[in-house]
Amino acid sequence: MKISETQRQRAPSKRAIQSRERILNAAEIVFADKGFDGATIRDIAAAAKTQVGLVHHHGGGKAELFAQTVTRRADDLSKLRIDMLSARKADGPMTIESLLECFVGPYLERAASGDIQWLAYARLVAHVSADPRWRDLAAVCFDPTANRFIDEIALVFPDAKRGAIAAGFVYSVSAMLALLTSGWRIETLGAVNPGGPDRQRELVRFCAAGIRASLENG
């Protein structure tokens, strides 16, 4: 299909794309460190080494920029989780352990790379999860994938009530975020390295045991 001159003019330039990415990266760090209320557009502009006006141009107001920052990685993370889930299901019946591995694995693997942006995003998600004013944002970014995994857990525990499954799932997400954002506490209290595959296996065992105990004995 031939691209019209109007479409060509509307396509963002490479420089504009890079500028927006730099602003979103800066917003991710600032919002993670200061929360929505503590962060300012000026803080984000300073972190991005750009003008306040350019932050407004790419991100709009603070609430819109916050939503863009949360949404940016949510879509990629959801796809990684669903792809891993589909691959595991093709291999045979799922267990609560394999379901949890599909959910936490993609995130923990990226955080384990030492990428400060993914680590900041964990704190950002924790902010969203803890504040009811972001209910609508969570519904768009996280609920579709969460409901997919809750549906899969229901197949493993067909007699369990959905509310109980949802509670166990939310507890497990909180545990994952705690590992990502408070790993230093594990290191301090236990004198061990909080990262690596052993921590992921430990997290999955912990969450699986809690869900199983709750749903089988509840």
Side-chain angles (χ1 to χ4, degrees):
M1 182 176 69
K2 187 175 180 179
I3 299 175
S4 69
E5 185 63 31
T6 300
Q7 289 174 314
R8 187 176 291 110
Q9 290 174 354
R10 289 179 179 175
S13 67
K14 182 178 179 181
R15 181 177 179 181
I17 292 171
Q18 291 174 338
S19 178
R20 181 176 184 275
E21 190 72 7
R22 188 171 68 253
I23 288 168
L24 288 175
N25 283 342
E28 198 165 51
I29 297 295
V30 174
F31 281 131
D33 288 344
K34 299 188 175 184
F36 177 77
D37 293 322
T40 68
I41 293 294
R42 191 171 298 279
D43 292 332
I44 293 166
K49 295 181 173 58
T50 192
Q51 298 85 10
V52 169
L54 198 58
V55 176
H56 281 295
H57 172 73
H58 286 290
K62 189 167 77 164
E64 184 180 346
L65 180 58
F66 185 82
Q68 287 184 38
T69 307
V70 173
T71 302
R72 179 177 60 152
R73 295 194 196 279
D75 293 340
D76 291 342
L77 193 56
S78 176
K79 184 179 186 306
L80 290 168
R81 286 166 166 163
I82 297 302
D83 286 350
M84 187 172 179
L85 175 63
S86 298
R88 285 288 187 92
K89 284 173 67 69
D91 288 338
M94 301 293 286
T95 64
I96 185 60
E97 286 82 3
S98 58
L99 285 169
L100 288 169
E101 287 168 3
C102 291
F103 188 83
V104 307
Y107 203 147
L108 294 183
E109 287 168 10
R110 277 145 191 81
S113 70
D115 187 335
I116 61 170
Q117 298 295 153
W118 277 101
L119 293 172
Y121 188 67
R123 298 198 300 277
L124 201 60
V125 173
H127 285 309
V128 173
S129 301
D131 193 335
R133 76 177 129 168
W134 304 117
R135 183 189 303 270
D136 291 343
L137 181 60
V140 173
C141 292
F142 307 128
D143 286 6
T145 303
N147 280 313
R148 173 66 187 278
F149 275 84
I150 289 171
D151 289 342
E152 294 290 342
I153 296 172
L155 296 177
V156 178
F157 300 96
D159 296 328
K161 294 180 179 179
R162 187 174 181 84
I165 296 173
F169 179 80
V170 171
Y171 299 155
S172 298
V173 172
S174 297
M176 178 192 72
L177 293 174
L179 176 60
L180 288 165
T181 60
S182 303
W184 62 274
R185 288 293 291 152
I186 298 174
E187 185 175 13
T188 299
L189 296 172
V192 294
N193 185 340
D198 288 343
R199 280 287 174 253
Q200 179 174 323
R201 286 192 292 268
E202 184 178 80
L203 174 67
V204 167
R205 285 197 303 268
F206 177 85
C207 295
I211 291 176
R212 184 175 284 113
S214 175
L215 300 183
E216 290 181 347
N217 301 318

